[in-house]
PDB file of all heavy atoms in Angstrom:
ATOM      1  N   PHE A   1     -15.367  -7.725   1.832  1.00 96.00           N
ATOM      2  CA  PHE A   1     -14.247  -6.778   1.770  1.00 96.00           C
ATOM      3  C   PHE A   1     -13.340  -7.115   0.581  1.00 96.00           C
ATOM      4  O   PHE A   1     -12.951  -6.243  -0.197  1.00 96.00           O
ATOM      5  CB  PHE A   1     -13.474  -6.819   3.083  1.00 96.00           C
ATOM      6  CG  PHE A   1     -12.271  -5.910   3.143  1.00 96.00           C
ATOM      7  CD1 PHE A   1     -12.223  -4.715   2.444  1.00 96.00           C
ATOM      8  CD2 PHE A   1     -11.176  -6.258   3.929  1.00 96.00           C
ATOM      9  CE1 PHE A   1     -11.117  -3.875   2.518  1.00 96.00           C
ATOM     10  CE2 PHE A   1     -10.070  -5.430   4.000  1.00 96.00           C
ATOM     11  CZ  PHE A   1     -10.035  -4.242   3.298  1.00 96.00           C
ATOM     12  N   LEU A   2     -13.024  -8.385   0.425  1.00 96.00           N
ATOM     13  CA  LEU A   2     -12.151  -8.810  -0.664  1.00 96.00           C
ATOM     14  C   LEU A   2     -12.802  -8.562  -2.028  1.00 96.00           C
ATOM     15  O   LEU A   2     -12.113  -8.219  -2.995  1.00 96.00           O
ATOM     16  CB  LEU A   2     -11.786 -10.288  -0.511  1.00 96.00           C
ATOM     17  CG  LEU A   2     -10.980 -10.652   0.748  1.00 96.00           C
ATOM     18  CD1 LEU A   2     -10.712 -12.149   0.802  1.00 96.00           C
ATOM     19  CD2 LEU A   2      -9.667  -9.867   0.798  1.00 96.00           C
ATOM     20  N   LYS A   3     -14.105  -8.726  -2.098  1.00 96.00           N
ATOM     21  CA  LYS A   3     -14.812  -8.426  -3.356  1.00 96.00           C
ATOM     22  C   LYS A   3     -14.657  -6.943  -3.703  1.00 96.00           C
ATOM     23  O   LYS A   3     -14.453  -6.583  -4.873  1.00 96.00           O
ATOM     24  CB  LYS A   3     -16.292  -8.777  -3.226  1.00 96.00           C
ATOM     25  CG  LYS A   3     -16.574 -10.279  -3.206  1.00 96.00           C
ATOM     26  CD  LYS A   3     -18.063 -10.541  -2.956  1.00 96.00           C
ATOM     27  CE  LYS A   3     -18.342 -12.030  -2.800  1.00 96.00           C
ATOM     28  NZ  LYS A   3     -19.770 -12.297  -2.466  1.00 96.00           N
ATOM     29  N   PHE A   4     -14.755  -6.100  -2.694  1.00 97.00           N
ATOM     30  CA  PHE A   4     -14.581  -4.664  -2.917  1.00 97.00           C
ATOM     31  C   PHE A   4     -13.164  -4.373  -3.409  1.00 97.00           C
ATOM     32  O   PHE A   4     -12.972  -3.604  -4.371  1.00 97.00           O
ATOM     33  CB  PHE A   4     -14.856  -3.887  -1.629  1.00 97.00           C
ATOM     34  CG  PHE A   4     -14.496  -2.427  -1.718  1.00 97.00           C
ATOM     35  CD1 PHE A   4     -15.341  -1.524  -2.342  1.00 97.00           C
ATOM     36  CD2 PHE A   4     -13.295  -1.962  -1.198  1.00 97.00           C
ATOM     37  CE1 PHE A   4     -14.999  -0.179  -2.445  1.00 97.00           C
ATOM     38  CE2 PHE A   4     -12.949  -0.621  -1.297  1.00 97.00           C
ATOM     39  CZ  PHE A   4     -13.804   0.265  -1.915  1.00 97.00           C
ATOM     40  N   LEU A   5     -12.171  -4.982  -2.767  1.00 97.00           N
ATOM     41  CA  LEU A   5     -10.786  -4.773  -3.181  1.00 97.00           C
ATOM     42  C   LEU A   5     -10.569  -5.238  -4.624  1.00 97.00           C
ATOM     43  O   LEU A   5      -9.840  -4.598  -5.389  1.00 97.00           O
ATOM     44  CB  LEU A   5      -9.829  -5.526  -2.246  1.00 97.00           C
ATOM     45  CG  LEU A   5      -9.807  -5.081  -0.775  1.00 97.00           C
ATOM     46  CD1 LEU A   5      -8.818  -5.930   0.018  1.00 97.00           C
ATOM     47  CD2 LEU A   5      -9.442  -3.602  -0.651  1.00 97.00           C
ATOM     48  N   ASN A   6     -11.200  -6.332  -4.973  1.00 97.00           N
ATOM     49  CA  ASN A   6     -11.067  -6.869  -6.334  1.00 97.00           C
ATOM     50  C   ASN A   6     -11.664  -5.894  -7.360  1.00 97.00           C
ATOM     51  O   ASN A   6     -11.110  -5.689  -8.443  1.00 97.00           O
ATOM     52  CB  ASN A   6     -11.759  -8.226  -6.426  1.00 97.00           C
ATOM     53  CG  ASN A   6     -11.339  -9.016  -7.654  1.00 97.00           C
ATOM     54  OD1 ASN A   6     -10.215  -8.880  -8.138  1.00 97.00           O
ATOM     55  ND2 ASN A   6     -12.221  -9.861  -8.156  1.00 97.00           N
ATOM     56  N   GLU A   7     -12.792  -5.307  -7.001  1.00 97.00           N
ATOM     57  CA  GLU A   7     -13.435  -4.344  -7.897  1.00 97.00           C
ATOM     58  C   GLU A   7     -12.604  -3.067  -8.053  1.00 97.00           C
ATOM     59  O   GLU A   7     -12.636  -2.412  -9.099  1.00 97.00           O
ATOM     60  CB  GLU A   7     -14.825  -3.988  -7.367  1.00 97.00           C
ATOM     61  CG  GLU A   7     -15.829  -5.136  -7.418  1.00 97.00           C
ATOM     62  CD  GLU A   7     -17.094  -4.827  -6.633  1.00 97.00           C
ATOM     63  OE1 GLU A   7     -17.157  -3.728  -6.026  1.00 97.00           O
ATOM     64  OE2 GLU A   7     -18.007  -5.675  -6.612  1.00 97.00           O
ATOM     65  N   GLU A   8     -11.845  -2.729  -7.010  1.00 98.00           N
ATOM     66  CA  GLU A   8     -11.078  -1.479  -6.999  1.00 98.00           C
ATOM     67  C   GLU A   8      -9.584  -1.711  -7.218  1.00 98.00           C
ATOM     68  O   GLU A   8      -8.772  -0.828  -6.920  1.00 98.00           O
ATOM     69  CB  GLU A   8     -11.288  -0.757  -5.660  1.00 98.00           C
ATOM     70  CG  GLU A   8     -12.731  -0.404  -5.348  1.00 98.00           C
ATOM     71  CD  GLU A   8     -13.268   0.657  -6.293  1.00 98.00           C
ATOM     72  OE1 GLU A   8     -12.450   1.447  -6.827  1.00 98.00           O
ATOM     73  OE2 GLU A   8     -14.494   0.695  -6.517  1.00 98.00           O
ATOM     74  N   ILE A   9      -9.216  -2.860  -7.772  1.00 98.00           N
ATOM     75  CA  ILE A   9      -7.811  -3.235  -7.840  1.00 98.00           C
ATOM     76  C   ILE A   9      -6.971  -2.239  -8.633  1.00 98.00           C
ATOM     77  O   ILE A   9      -5.815  -1.962  -8.280  1.00 98.00           O
ATOM     78  CB  ILE A   9      -7.658  -4.671  -8.421  1.00 98.00           C
ATOM     79  CG1 ILE A   9      -6.232  -5.174  -8.225  1.00 98.00           C
ATOM     80  CG2 ILE A   9      -8.099  -4.738  -9.864  1.00 98.00           C
ATOM     81  CD1 ILE A   9      -5.796  -5.285  -6.794  1.00 98.00           C
ATOM     82  N   ASP A  10      -7.516  -1.676  -9.707  1.00 98.00           N
ATOM     83  CA  ASP A  10      -6.739  -0.719 -10.505  1.00 98.00           C
ATOM     84  C   ASP A  10      -6.355   0.505  -9.676  1.00 98.00           C
ATOM     85  O   ASP A  10      -5.220   0.988  -9.749  1.00 98.00           O
ATOM     86  CB  ASP A  10      -7.542  -0.277 -11.728  1.00 98.00           C
ATOM     87  CG  ASP A  10      -7.620  -1.360 -12.799  1.00 98.00           C
ATOM     88  OD1 ASP A  10      -7.420  -2.545 -12.449  1.00 98.00           O
ATOM     89  OD2 ASP A  10      -7.878  -1.030 -13.968  1.00 98.00           O
ATOM     90  N   VAL A  11      -7.296   1.010  -8.891  1.00 98.00           N
ATOM     91  CA  VAL A  11      -7.021   2.183  -8.051  1.00 98.00           C
ATOM     92  C   VAL A  11      -6.051   1.820  -6.936  1.00 98.00           C
ATOM     93  O   VAL A  11      -5.119   2.576  -6.633  1.00 98.00           O
ATOM     94  CB  VAL A  11      -8.323   2.746  -7.453  1.00 98.00           C
ATOM     95  CG1 VAL A  11      -8.022   3.877  -6.474  1.00 98.00           C
ATOM     96  CG2 VAL A  11      -9.236   3.237  -8.560  1.00 98.00           C
ATOM     97  N   LEU A  12      -6.240   0.653  -6.320  1.00 98.00           N
ATOM     98  CA  LEU A  12      -5.372   0.254  -5.217  1.00 98.00           C
ATOM     99  C   LEU A  12      -3.928   0.061  -5.662  1.00 98.00           C
ATOM    100  O   LEU A  12      -2.995   0.288  -4.882  1.00 98.00           O
ATOM    101  CB  LEU A  12      -5.885  -1.039  -4.582  1.00 98.00           C
ATOM    102  CG  LEU A  12      -7.249  -0.931  -3.900  1.00 98.00           C
ATOM    103  CD1 LEU A  12      -7.715  -2.304  -3.438  1.00 98.00           C
ATOM    104  CD2 LEU A  12      -7.194   0.040  -2.727  1.00 98.00           C
ATOM    105  N   LEU A  13      -3.713  -0.328  -6.898  1.00 98.00           N
ATOM    106  CA  LEU A  13      -2.359  -0.550  -7.399  1.00 98.00           C
ATOM    107  C   LEU A  13      -1.760   0.692  -8.062  1.00 98.00           C
ATOM    108  O   LEU A  13      -0.547   0.897  -7.988  1.00 98.00           O
ATOM    109  CB  LEU A  13      -2.331  -1.714  -8.392  1.00 98.00           C
ATOM    110  CG  LEU A  13      -2.581  -3.107  -7.814  1.00 98.00           C
ATOM    111  CD1 LEU A  13      -2.589  -4.150  -8.920  1.00 98.00           C
ATOM    112  CD2 LEU A  13      -1.527  -3.466  -6.766  1.00 98.00           C
ATOM    113  N   CYS A  14      -2.590   1.521  -8.676  1.00 97.00           N
ATOM    114  CA  CYS A  14      -2.048   2.652  -9.436  1.00 97.00           C
ATOM    115  C   CYS A  14      -2.824   3.942  -9.283  1.00 97.00           C
ATOM    116  O   CYS A  14      -2.647   4.874 -10.073  1.00 97.00           O
ATOM    117  CB  CYS A  14      -1.964   2.285 -10.925  1.00 97.00           C
ATOM    118  SG  CYS A  14      -0.580   1.197 -11.298  1.00 97.00           S
ATOM    119  N   GLY A  15      -3.702   4.024  -8.297  1.00 97.00           N
ATOM    120  CA  GLY A  15      -4.468   5.251  -8.094  1.00 97.00           C
ATOM    121  C   GLY A  15      -3.597   6.401  -7.632  1.00 97.00           C
ATOM    122  O   GLY A  15      -2.540   6.204  -7.025  1.00 97.00           O
ATOM    123  N   THR A  16      -4.038   7.618  -7.921  1.00 96.00           N
ATOM    124  CA  THR A  16      -3.325   8.816  -7.482  1.00 96.00           C
ATOM    125  C   THR A  16      -3.422   8.940  -5.959  1.00 96.00           C
ATOM    126  O   THR A  16      -4.295   8.327  -5.329  1.00 96.00           O
ATOM    127  CB  THR A  16      -3.925  10.065  -8.130  1.00 96.00           C
ATOM    128  OG1 THR A  16      -5.286  10.208  -7.671  1.00 96.00           O
ATOM    129  CG2 THR A  16      -3.896   9.967  -9.642  1.00 96.00           C
ATOM    130  N   PRO A  17      -2.557   9.742  -5.336  1.00 95.00           N
ATOM    131  CA  PRO A  17      -2.651   9.932  -3.885  1.00 95.00           C
ATOM    132  C   PRO A  17      -4.038  10.350  -3.404  1.00 95.00           C
ATOM    133  O   PRO A  17      -4.517   9.860  -2.382  1.00 95.00           O
ATOM    134  CB  PRO A  17      -1.604  11.011  -3.608  1.00 95.00           C
ATOM    135  CG  PRO A  17      -0.566  10.778  -4.656  1.00 95.00           C
ATOM    136  CD  PRO A  17      -1.348  10.379  -5.888  1.00 95.00           C
ATOM    137  N   SER A  18      -4.707  11.242  -4.125  1.00 94.00           N
ATOM    138  CA  SER A  18      -6.048  11.670  -3.708  1.00 94.00           C
ATOM    139  C   SER A  18      -7.043  10.514  -3.815  1.00 94.00           C
ATOM    140  O   SER A  18      -7.948  10.376  -2.979  1.00 94.00           O
ATOM    141  CB  SER A  18      -6.524  12.859  -4.545  1.00 94.00           C
ATOM    142  OG  SER A  18      -6.551  12.529  -5.922  1.00 94.00           O
ATOM    143  N   GLU A  19      -6.883   9.659  -4.830  1.00 96.00           N
ATOM    144  CA  GLU A  19      -7.748   8.486  -4.961  1.00 96.00           C
ATOM    145  C   GLU A  19      -7.488   7.492  -3.840  1.00 96.00           C
ATOM    146  O   GLU A  19      -8.422   6.869  -3.308  1.00 96.00           O
ATOM    147  CB  GLU A  19      -7.525   7.820  -6.318  1.00 96.00           C
ATOM    148  CG  GLU A  19      -8.082   8.613  -7.493  1.00 96.00           C
ATOM    149  CD  GLU A  19      -7.729   7.999  -8.835  1.00 96.00           C
ATOM    150  OE1 GLU A  19      -6.633   7.430  -8.970  1.00 96.00           O
ATOM    151  OE2 GLU A  19      -8.569   8.098  -9.760  1.00 96.00           O
ATOM    152  N   LEU A  20      -6.243   7.352  -3.438  1.00 97.00           N
ATOM    153  CA  LEU A  20      -5.902   6.438  -2.345  1.00 97.00           C
ATOM    154  C   LEU A  20      -6.502   6.921  -1.027  1.00 97.00           C
ATOM    155  O   LEU A  20      -7.006   6.123  -0.235  1.00 97.00           O
ATOM    156  CB  LEU A  20      -4.382   6.298  -2.209  1.00 97.00           C
ATOM    157  CG  LEU A  20      -3.644   5.700  -3.410  1.00 97.00           C
ATOM    158  CD1 LEU A  20      -2.158   5.545  -3.086  1.00 97.00           C
ATOM    159  CD2 LEU A  20      -4.234   4.357  -3.817  1.00 97.00           C
ATOM    160  N   ILE A  21      -6.450   8.218  -0.800  1.00 95.00           N
ATOM    161  CA  ILE A  21      -7.045   8.787   0.416  1.00 95.00           C
ATOM    162  C   ILE A  21      -8.533   8.485   0.462  1.00 95.00           C
ATOM    163  O   ILE A  21      -9.094   8.118   1.502  1.00 95.00           O
ATOM    164  CB  ILE A  21      -6.787  10.308   0.471  1.00 95.00           C
ATOM    165  CG1 ILE A  21      -5.317  10.584   0.769  1.00 95.00           C
ATOM    166  CG2 ILE A  21      -7.669  10.971   1.530  1.00 95.00           C
ATOM    167  CD1 ILE A  21      -4.937  12.048   0.691  1.00 95.00           C
ATOM    168  N   SER A  22      -9.201   8.637  -0.679  1.00 96.00           N
ATOM    169  CA  SER A  22     -10.630   8.357  -0.762  1.00 96.00           C
ATOM    170  C   SER A  22     -10.924   6.894  -0.448  1.00 96.00           C
ATOM    171  O   SER A  22     -11.893   6.582   0.267  1.00 96.00           O
ATOM    172  CB  SER A  22     -11.138   8.719  -2.159  1.00 96.00           C
ATOM    173  OG  SER A  22     -12.492   8.375  -2.312  1.00 96.00           O
ATOM    174  N   LYS A  23     -10.092   5.986  -0.949  1.00 97.00           N
ATOM    175  CA  LYS A  23     -10.300   4.554  -0.708  1.00 97.00           C
ATOM    176  C   LYS A  23     -10.047   4.197   0.753  1.00 97.00           C
ATOM    177  O   LYS A  23     -10.763   3.376   1.336  1.00 97.00           O
ATOM    178  CB  LYS A  23      -9.397   3.710  -1.616  1.00 97.00           C
ATOM    179  CG  LYS A  23      -9.730   3.821  -3.097  1.00 97.00           C
ATOM    180  CD  LYS A  23     -11.206   3.508  -3.373  1.00 97.00           C
ATOM    181  CE  LYS A  23     -11.572   3.832  -4.810  1.00 97.00           C
ATOM    182  NZ  LYS A  23     -13.035   3.860  -5.033  1.00 97.00           N
ATOM    183  N   ILE A  24      -9.033   4.786   1.345  1.00 96.00           N
ATOM    184  CA  ILE A  24      -8.756   4.532   2.763  1.00 96.00           C
ATOM    185  C   ILE A  24      -9.983   4.896   3.598  1.00 96.00           C
ATOM    186  O   ILE A  24     -10.428   4.126   4.460  1.00 96.00           O
ATOM    187  CB  ILE A  24      -7.531   5.338   3.242  1.00 96.00           C
ATOM    188  CG1 ILE A  24      -6.241   4.777   2.634  1.00 96.00           C
ATOM    189  CG2 ILE A  24      -7.435   5.309   4.776  1.00 96.00           C
ATOM    190  CD1 ILE A  24      -5.004   5.616   2.915  1.00 96.00           C
ATOM    191  N   LYS A  25     -10.521   6.076   3.358  1.00 95.00           N
ATOM    192  CA  LYS A  25     -11.683   6.547   4.112  1.00 95.00           C
ATOM    193  C   LYS A  25     -12.863   5.590   3.941  1.00 95.00           C
ATOM    194  O   LYS A  25     -13.512   5.204   4.932  1.00 95.00           O
ATOM    195  CB  LYS A  25     -12.065   7.955   3.655  1.00 95.00           C
ATOM    196  CG  LYS A  25     -13.225   8.587   4.425  1.00 95.00           C
ATOM    197  CD  LYS A  25     -13.438  10.024   3.969  1.00 95.00           C
ATOM    198  CE  LYS A  25     -14.521  10.716   4.803  1.00 95.00           C
ATOM    199  NZ  LYS A  25     -15.861  10.164   4.581  1.00 95.00           N
ATOM    200  N   TYR A  26     -13.130   5.181   2.716  1.00 96.00           N
ATOM    201  CA  TYR A  26     -14.270   4.305   2.458  1.00 96.00           C
ATOM    202  C   TYR A  26     -14.059   2.933   3.105  1.00 96.00           C
ATOM    203  O   TYR A  26     -14.989   2.372   3.714  1.00 96.00           O
ATOM    204  CB  TYR A  26     -14.477   4.138   0.949  1.00 96.00           C
ATOM    205  CG  TYR A  26     -15.741   3.388   0.606  1.00 96.00           C
ATOM    206  CD1 TYR A  26     -16.965   4.049   0.519  1.00 96.00           C
ATOM    207  CD2 TYR A  26     -15.721   2.006   0.405  1.00 96.00           C
ATOM    208  CE1 TYR A  26     -18.134   3.366   0.229  1.00 96.00           C
ATOM    209  CE2 TYR A  26     -16.887   1.315   0.109  1.00 96.00           C
ATOM    210  CZ  TYR A  26     -18.096   1.989   0.021  1.00 96.00           C
ATOM    211  OH  TYR A  26     -19.247   1.300  -0.255  1.00 96.00           O
ATOM    212  N   ILE A  27     -12.861   2.402   2.986  1.00 96.00           N
ATOM    213  CA  ILE A  27     -12.570   1.092   3.571  1.00 96.00           C
ATOM    214  C   ILE A  27     -12.705   1.138   5.086  1.00 96.00           C
ATOM    215  O   ILE A  27     -13.291   0.231   5.698  1.00 96.00           O
ATOM    216  CB  ILE A  27     -11.149   0.630   3.159  1.00 96.00           C
ATOM    217  CG1 ILE A  27     -11.143   0.208   1.680  1.00 96.00           C
ATOM    218  CG2 ILE A  27     -10.667  -0.532   4.035  1.00 96.00           C
ATOM    219  CD1 ILE A  27      -9.776  -0.035   1.107  1.00 96.00           C
ATOM    220  N   GLU A  28     -12.195   2.178   5.706  1.00 94.00           N
ATOM    221  CA  GLU A  28     -12.271   2.262   7.165  1.00 94.00           C
ATOM    222  C   GLU A  28     -13.706   2.469   7.644  1.00 94.00           C
ATOM    223  O   GLU A  28     -14.080   1.974   8.713  1.00 94.00           O
ATOM    224  CB  GLU A  28     -11.359   3.381   7.670  1.00 94.00           C
ATOM    225  CG  GLU A  28      -9.883   3.033   7.484  1.00 94.00           C
ATOM    226  CD  GLU A  28      -8.946   3.999   8.152  1.00 94.00           C
ATOM    227  OE1 GLU A  28      -9.376   5.131   8.497  1.00 94.00           O
ATOM    228  OE2 GLU A  28      -7.776   3.641   8.323  1.00 94.00           O
ATOM    229  N   GLU A  29     -14.498   3.173   6.901  1.00 94.00           N
ATOM    230  CA  GLU A  29     -15.897   3.381   7.294  1.00 94.00           C
ATOM    231  C   GLU A  29     -16.737   2.112   7.127  1.00 94.00           C
ATOM    232  O   GLU A  29     -17.677   1.890   7.895  1.00 94.00           O
ATOM    233  CB  GLU A  29     -16.514   4.500   6.452  1.00 94.00           C
ATOM    234  CG  GLU A  29     -16.028   5.889   6.813  1.00 94.00           C
ATOM    235  CD  GLU A  29     -16.625   6.954   5.909  1.00 94.00           C
ATOM    236  OE1 GLU A  29     -17.110   6.588   4.817  1.00 94.00           O
ATOM    237  OE2 GLU A  29     -16.596   8.132   6.288  1.00 94.00           O
ATOM    238  N   ASN A  30     -16.371   1.280   6.154  1.00 95.00           N
ATOM    239  CA  ASN A  30     -17.256   0.172   5.799  1.00 95.00           C
ATOM    240  C   ASN A  30     -16.694  -1.235   6.001  1.00 95.00           C
ATOM    241  O   ASN A  30     -17.485  -2.182   6.120  1.00 95.00           O
ATOM    242  CB  ASN A  30     -17.678   0.319   4.328  1.00 95.00           C
ATOM    243  CG  ASN A  30     -18.491   1.554   4.080  1.00 95.00           C
ATOM    244  OD1 ASN A  30     -19.689   1.577   4.332  1.00 95.00           O
ATOM    245  ND2 ASN A  30     -17.847   2.604   3.568  1.00 95.00           N
ATOM    246  N   TYR A  31     -15.360  -1.379   6.027  1.00 96.00           N
ATOM    247  CA  TYR A  31     -14.822  -2.733   6.039  1.00 96.00           C
ATOM    248  C   TYR A  31     -13.784  -3.036   7.115  1.00 96.00           C
ATOM    249  O   TYR A  31     -13.885  -4.060   7.797  1.00 96.00           O
ATOM    250  CB  TYR A  31     -14.198  -3.051   4.669  1.00 96.00           C
ATOM    251  CG  TYR A  31     -15.189  -3.097   3.538  1.00 96.00           C
ATOM    252  CD1 TYR A  31     -15.211  -2.083   2.582  1.00 96.00           C
ATOM    253  CD2 TYR A  31     -16.092  -4.147   3.413  1.00 96.00           C
ATOM    254  CE1 TYR A  31     -16.114  -2.116   1.534  1.00 96.00           C
ATOM    255  CE2 TYR A  31     -16.999  -4.196   2.360  1.00 96.00           C
ATOM    256  CZ  TYR A  31     -17.011  -3.178   1.428  1.00 96.00           C
ATOM    257  OH  TYR A  31     -17.909  -3.224   0.389  1.00 96.00           O
ATOM    258  N   PHE A  32     -12.792  -2.165   7.292  1.00 95.00           N
ATOM    259  CA  PHE A  32     -11.641  -2.603   8.087  1.00 95.00           C
ATOM    260  C   PHE A  32     -10.781  -1.420   8.517  1.00 95.00           C
ATOM    261  O   PHE A  32     -10.531  -0.499   7.740  1.00 95.00           O
ATOM    262  CB  PHE A  32     -10.802  -3.570   7.239  1.00 95.00           C
ATOM    263  CG  PHE A  32      -9.455  -3.917   7.800  1.00 95.00           C
ATOM    264  CD1 PHE A  32      -9.334  -4.726   8.925  1.00 95.00           C
ATOM    265  CD2 PHE A  32      -8.293  -3.448   7.189  1.00 95.00           C
ATOM    266  CE1 PHE A  32      -8.077  -5.050   9.429  1.00 95.00           C
ATOM    267  CE2 PHE A  32      -7.043  -3.764   7.685  1.00 95.00           C
ATOM    268  CZ  PHE A  32      -6.933  -4.578   8.808  1.00 95.00           C
ATOM    269  N   ILE A  33     -10.318  -1.493   9.779  1.00 93.00           N
ATOM    270  CA  ILE A  33      -9.303  -0.568  10.293  1.00 93.00           C
ATOM    271  C   ILE A  33      -8.214  -1.434  10.918  1.00 93.00           C
ATOM    272  O   ILE A  33      -8.500  -2.313  11.731  1.00 93.00           O
ATOM    273  CB  ILE A  33      -9.872   0.387  11.357  1.00 93.00           C
ATOM    274  CG1 ILE A  33     -11.055   1.176  10.788  1.00 93.00           C
ATOM    275  CG2 ILE A  33      -8.790   1.346  11.857  1.00 93.00           C
ATOM    276  CD1 ILE A  33     -11.777   2.024  11.827  1.00 93.00           C
TER     277      ILE A  33
END
């Protein structure tokens, strides 16, 4: 999970709202709720 967050750090810190929604969905489906 942390490796994924590290790869997506730019989006997690500065992604647009639509990009954040996409990341939330992917994280909840695959890593953590």
